[in-house]
DNA sequence: GCCAACGTTGGC
DNA sequence: GCCAACGTTGGC
Protein backbone atom coordinates (compact mmCIF):
# COMPACT_ATOMS: atom_id res chain seq x y z
CA UNK A 1 0.00 0.00 0.00
CA UNK A 2 1.48 3.29 -1.11
CA UNK A 3 0.45 6.90 -1.05
CA UNK A 4 0.56 9.44 -3.87
CA UNK A 5 -0.33 12.96 -4.85
CA UNK A 6 -2.15 13.67 -8.11
CA UNK A 7 -2.24 17.19 -9.52
CA UNK A 8 -5.09 18.58 -11.54
CA UNK A 9 -5.85 22.08 -12.69
CA UNK A 10 -9.35 22.76 -11.38
CA UNK A 11 -10.16 24.62 -14.60
CA UNK A 12 -9.67 21.30 -16.40
CA UNK A 13 -10.92 18.84 -13.79
CA UNK A 14 -11.69 19.73 -10.18
CA UNK A 15 -12.65 17.81 -7.06
CA UNK A 16 -16.19 19.15 -7.60
CA UNK A 17 -16.20 17.62 -11.07
CA UNK A 18 -15.25 14.28 -9.57
CA UNK A 19 -17.88 14.63 -6.86
CA UNK A 20 -20.53 15.18 -9.53
CA UNK A 21 -19.82 11.92 -11.33
CA UNK A 22 -22.46 9.34 -10.24
CA UNK A 23 -19.99 6.60 -9.23
CA UNK A 24 -17.28 9.18 -8.42
CA UNK A 25 -14.77 7.20 -10.50
CA UNK A 26 -12.61 8.78 -13.19
CA UNK A 27 -9.70 7.71 -15.35
CA UNK A 28 -6.62 9.75 -14.45
CA UNK A 29 -5.54 10.38 -18.01
CA UNK A 30 -3.71 12.85 -20.18
CA UNK A 31 -0.46 12.60 -18.23
CA UNK A 32 2.33 13.20 -20.76
CA UNK A 33 5.49 13.10 -18.70
CA UNK A 34 7.70 10.04 -18.53
CA UNK A 35 8.43 10.06 -14.83
CA UNK A 36 4.75 10.46 -13.99
CA UNK A 37 3.89 7.83 -16.62
CA UNK A 38 6.25 5.36 -14.96
CA UNK A 39 4.52 5.86 -11.63
CA UNK A 40 1.09 5.36 -13.21
CA UNK A 41 2.17 2.31 -15.19
CA UNK A 42 4.41 0.57 -12.67
CA UNK A 43 3.87 1.82 -9.17
CA UNK A 44 0.29 2.80 -8.44
CA UNK A 45 -1.49 -0.31 -7.15
CA UNK A 46 -5.09 -1.21 -6.52
CA UNK A 47 -6.26 0.38 -3.25
CA UNK A 48 -3.35 2.81 -3.06
CA UNK A 49 -4.56 6.20 -1.89
CA UNK A 50 -3.72 9.63 -3.25
CA UNK A 51 -4.20 13.26 -2.39
CA UNK A 52 -6.17 15.19 -5.02
CA UNK A 53 -4.25 18.46 -5.49
CA UNK A 54 -5.46 21.61 -7.24
CA UNK A 55 -2.58 23.18 -9.18
CA UNK A 56 -2.22 26.38 -11.18
CA UNK A 57 -4.99 28.10 -9.30
CA UNK A 58 -5.36 31.03 -6.90
CA UNK A 59 -4.84 28.84 -3.85
CA UNK A 60 -2.99 25.65 -4.75
CA UNK A 61 -3.99 23.00 -2.20
CA UNK A 62 -4.71 19.40 -1.38
CA UNK A 63 -8.49 19.18 -1.54
CA UNK A 64 -9.43 15.50 -1.34
CA UNK A 65 -8.49 11.86 -1.16
CA UNK A 66 -8.97 9.23 -3.86
CA UNK A 67 -8.19 5.55 -4.09
CA UNK A 68 -6.92 3.56 -7.04
CA UNK A 69 -9.67 1.25 -8.29
CA UNK A 70 -7.83 0.14 -11.42
CA UNK A 71 -4.05 -0.09 -11.77
CA UNK A 72 -2.09 1.14 -14.78
CA UNK A 73 -3.50 0.47 -18.26
CA UNK A 74 -3.01 2.23 -21.60
CA UNK A 75 -4.29 5.79 -21.93
CA UNK A 76 -6.42 5.48 -25.04
CA UNK A 77 -6.89 9.25 -25.33
CA UNK A 78 -3.45 9.19 -26.97
CA UNK A 79 -4.95 7.22 -29.88
CA UNK A 80 -7.79 9.67 -30.52
CA UNK A 81 -7.00 12.48 -32.99
CA UNK A 82 -9.92 14.45 -31.58
CA UNK A 83 -8.55 14.33 -28.05
CA UNK A 84 -6.48 17.18 -26.62
CA UNK A 85 -4.18 14.41 -25.35
CA UNK A 86 -3.67 12.87 -28.80
CA UNK A 87 -0.15 11.57 -29.41
CA UNK A 88 0.40 9.80 -32.74
CA UNK A 89 3.59 8.21 -31.43
CA UNK A 90 1.51 6.09 -29.04
CA UNK A 91 -0.23 3.13 -30.67
CA UNK A 92 -2.51 0.38 -29.33
CA UNK A 93 0.18 -2.17 -30.17
CA UNK A 94 2.82 -0.14 -28.36
CA UNK A 95 1.18 2.32 -25.99
CA UNK A 96 3.39 5.10 -24.69
CA UNK A 97 1.05 6.61 -22.08
CA UNK A 98 -0.79 5.03 -19.18
CA UNK A 99 -3.54 5.93 -16.77
CA UNK A 100 -5.21 4.56 -13.65
CA UNK A 101 -8.81 4.81 -12.47
CA UNK A 102 -9.48 6.52 -9.15
CA UNK A 103 -12.55 6.82 -6.95
CA UNK A 104 -13.30 9.71 -4.62
CA UNK A 105 -12.94 8.71 -0.98
CA UNK A 106 -13.58 12.09 0.55
CA UNK A 107 -13.34 15.80 0.16
CA UNK A 108 -11.15 17.28 2.88
CA UNK A 109 -12.94 19.16 5.65
CA UNK A 110 -10.69 22.04 4.70
CA UNK A 111 -8.07 22.37 1.94
CA UNK A 112 -4.44 22.01 2.99
CA UNK A 113 -2.80 24.82 1.07
CA UNK A 114 0.62 24.78 -0.52
CA UNK A 115 1.50 27.71 1.75
CA UNK A 116 0.71 25.60 4.81
CA UNK A 117 2.67 22.66 3.43
CA UNK A 118 5.68 24.91 2.85
CA UNK A 119 5.39 26.12 6.44
CA UNK A 120 5.60 22.48 7.49
CA UNK A 121 8.54 21.69 5.22
CA UNK A 122 10.85 20.86 8.13
CA UNK A 123 8.47 18.21 9.41
CA UNK A 124 7.56 16.89 5.99
CA UNK A 125 11.19 16.41 5.00
CA UNK A 126 11.97 15.53 1.41
CA UNK A 127 8.70 15.96 -0.44
CA UNK A 128 8.56 16.09 -4.25
CA UNK A 129 5.72 18.63 -4.15
CA UNK A 130 7.91 21.14 -2.31
CA UNK A 131 11.05 20.71 -4.38
CA UNK A 132 12.04 23.83 -6.19
CA UNK A 133 10.47 24.00 -9.61
CA UNK A 134 8.80 20.63 -9.26
CA UNK A 135 6.43 20.00 -12.14
CA UNK A 136 5.79 16.34 -11.53
CA UNK A 137 2.04 15.71 -11.67
CA UNK A 138 2.08 12.23 -10.09
CA UNK A 139 4.36 11.99 -7.10
CA UNK A 140 4.95 9.73 -4.11
CA UNK A 141 4.00 10.62 -0.54
CA UNK A 142 5.60 8.72 2.33
CA UNK A 143 3.44 7.13 5.01
CA UNK A 144 4.81 9.62 7.54
CA UNK A 145 4.00 12.55 5.27
CA UNK A 146 0.54 11.19 4.58
CA UNK A 147 -0.27 10.75 8.25
CA UNK A 148 1.12 14.14 9.17
CA UNK A 149 -0.84 15.95 6.48
CA UNK A 150 -4.02 14.30 7.73
CA UNK A 151 -3.31 15.61 11.22
CA UNK A 152 -2.94 19.09 9.70
CA UNK A 153 -6.42 18.74 8.27
CA UNK A 154 -7.86 18.12 11.72
CA UNK A 155 -6.02 21.08 13.21
CA UNK A 156 -7.00 24.69 12.54
CA UNK A 157 -5.12 26.45 9.73
CA UNK A 158 -2.01 28.36 10.75
C1' DG B 1 26.03 13.09 -27.54
C1' DC B 2 25.73 18.06 -27.10
C1' DC B 3 23.07 21.93 -26.52
C1' DA B 4 20.18 25.87 -28.16
C1' DA B 5 15.54 26.68 -29.02
C1' DC B 6 11.17 25.97 -27.81
C1' DG B 7 6.90 24.65 -25.27
C1' DT B 8 4.79 23.68 -20.84
C1' DT B 9 4.03 23.89 -15.91
C1' DG B 10 2.62 26.21 -12.15
C1' DG B 11 3.52 29.60 -8.33
C1' DC B 12 3.03 34.20 -7.66
C1' DG C 1 0.10 38.08 -17.02
C1' DC C 2 4.85 37.16 -15.81
C1' DC C 3 8.55 34.32 -15.64
C1' DA C 4 11.68 30.67 -13.60
C1' DA C 5 12.28 25.95 -13.94
C1' DC C 6 12.07 22.10 -16.39
C1' DG C 7 11.37 18.60 -20.23
C1' DT C 8 11.53 17.74 -25.11
C1' DT C 9 13.02 18.36 -29.78
C1' DG C 10 16.07 18.38 -33.42
C1' DG C 11 20.23 20.14 -35.90
C1' DC C 12 24.84 19.29 -35.93
Amino acid sequence: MSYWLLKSEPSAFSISDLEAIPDQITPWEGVRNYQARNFLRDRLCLRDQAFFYHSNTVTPAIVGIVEVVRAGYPDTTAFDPASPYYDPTSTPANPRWYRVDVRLLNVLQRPITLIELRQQAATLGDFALLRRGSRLSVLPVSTAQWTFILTLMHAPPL
Side-chain angles (χ1 to χ4, degrees):
Chain A
M1 164 95 175
S2 303
Y3 297 106
W4 306 93
L5 182 144
L6 303 173
K7 292 183 188 175
S8 183
E9 301 196 13
S11 61
F13 186 76
S14 72
I15 193 88
S16 305
D17 295 328
L18 179 54
E19 236 182 333
I21 297 171
D23 63 3
Q24 300 189 327
I25 291 175
T26 185
W28 203 268
E29 61 196 9
V31 173
R32 297 293 180 264
N33 166 281
Y34 289 104
Q35 197 179 350
R37 186 279 310 268
N38 292 347
F39 284 137
L40 291 174
R41 187 188 59 188
D42 307 331
R43 302 279 306 280
L44 273 76
C45 296
L46 197 63
R47 286 185 285 279
D48 278 1
Q49 295 185 15
F51 288 128
F52 190 124
Y53 177 86
H54 279 171
S55 66
N56 199 16
T57 186
V58 177
T59 308
I62 294 170
V63 292
I65 296 175
V66 298
E67 78 168 335
V68 176
V69 294
R70 183 175 176 185
Y73 66 105
D75 181 350
T76 57
T77 62
F79 311 146
D80 176 8
S83 168
Y85 305 127
Y86 178 56
D87 178 0
T89 67
S90 182
T91 64
N94 191 15
R96 173 166 299 195
W97 306 114
Y98 282 72
R99 63 187 168 192
V100 298
D101 289 351
V102 299
R103 180 173 67 86
L104 182 64
L105 283 185
N106 59 323
V107 179
L108 295 199
Q109 299 162 34
R110 66 177 187 88
I112 308 296
T113 65
L114 180 61
I115 292 170
E116 189 169 356
L117 292 169
R118 286 202 190 287
Q119 288 168 341
Q120 300 290 348
T123 306
L124 285 166
D126 186 27
F127 189 18
L129 184 70
L130 302 183
R131 281 184 208 144
R132 192 171 59 104
S134 171
R135 295 163 47 186
L136 198 54
S137 63
V138 176
L139 54 95
V141 178
S142 74
T143 303
Q145 289 162 345
W146 181 272
T147 305
F148 177 67
I149 290 168
L150 290 181
T151 67
L152 288 180
M153 179 183 71
H154 294 297
L158 293 180

